[in-house]
Amino acid sequence: MSHFSQIKTQIRNLASLQAALTDLGIDWKEGPCPVRGYRGQAVNAEIAIEQNNGYDIGFSWNGNEYELVADLQFWQQASSVDRFLSKVTQRYAFQTVMKETAKQGFQVAEQQQNEDGSIRLVVQRWRN
């Protein structure tokens, strides 16, 4: 029986997910690569994050979105699973907005990190 948990996300773009993890200072490996779990069990994922305890966290494509896969019994991050996913999701959204606005010719005019953790962006586009 597998000890791995799969947690659904709204993350669908691998490049934005990778950029989000990098923004957060998280070391990750591009897959497909194994995510290590209980008693040598492993699942393949598109992204693996090694933990010091020998158990990994991964993001695996389920055909619709990237799920977080991990043996939660061996979670060894500074924050809870929910908080970790919240941080990753926020940076993912930020990266997605930045990529889409740049594609449409916008530039960031102002960026502000609010006390509640939200980010305020003002973008502009000059027309000729």
Side-chain angles (χ1 to χ4, degrees):
M1 185 166 116
S2 174
H3 273 238
F4 286 97
S5 296
Q6 288 99 2
I7 300 172
K8 290 189 180 294
T9 70
Q10 295 296 311
I11 298 172
R12 292 184 175 86
N13 182 284
L14 184 59
S16 291
L17 172 58
Q18 292 168 334
L21 294 171
T22 299
D23 282 355
L24 293 169
I26 298 169
D27 290 329
W28 54 273
K29 291 190 306 187
E30 188 168 3
C33 51
V35 172
R36 301 169 295 170
Y38 180 70
R39 290 194 172 179
Q41 292 178 354
V43 294
N44 278 331
E46 283 68 31
I47 290 179
I49 301 164
E50 293 181 351
Q51 299 185 112
N52 292 333
N53 63 2
Y55 300 92
D56 305 322
I57 300 166
F59 284 91
S60 179
W61 182 251
N62 69 9
N64 232 6
E65 66 208 357
Y66 288 93
E67 294 178 324
L68 180 126
V69 292
D71 187 333
L72 299 181
Q73 182 178 346
F74 300 104
W75 185 264
Q76 191 185 47
Q77 296 297 305
S79 53
S80 69
V81 176
D82 289 342
R83 183 76 183 118
F84 175 85
L85 264 180
S86 177
K87 288 178 185 177
V88 170
T89 301
Q90 182 189 40
R91 289 312 296 180
Y92 169 81
F94 174 82
Q95 286 295 333
T96 301
V97 167
M98 295 300 284
K99 283 183 172 81
E100 287 304 313
T101 55
K103 251 194 248 179
Q104 296 176 26
F106 288 89
Q107 293 181 327
V108 175
E110 185 183 332
Q111 178 179 333
Q112 176 183 330
Q113 182 80 37
N114 297 323
E115 284 184 28
D116 66 358
S118 64
I119 300 169
R120 179 178 180 271
L121 282 176
V122 176
V123 295
Q124 64 185 11
R125 177 170 58 183
W126 297 103
R127 293 183 178 229
N128 294 334

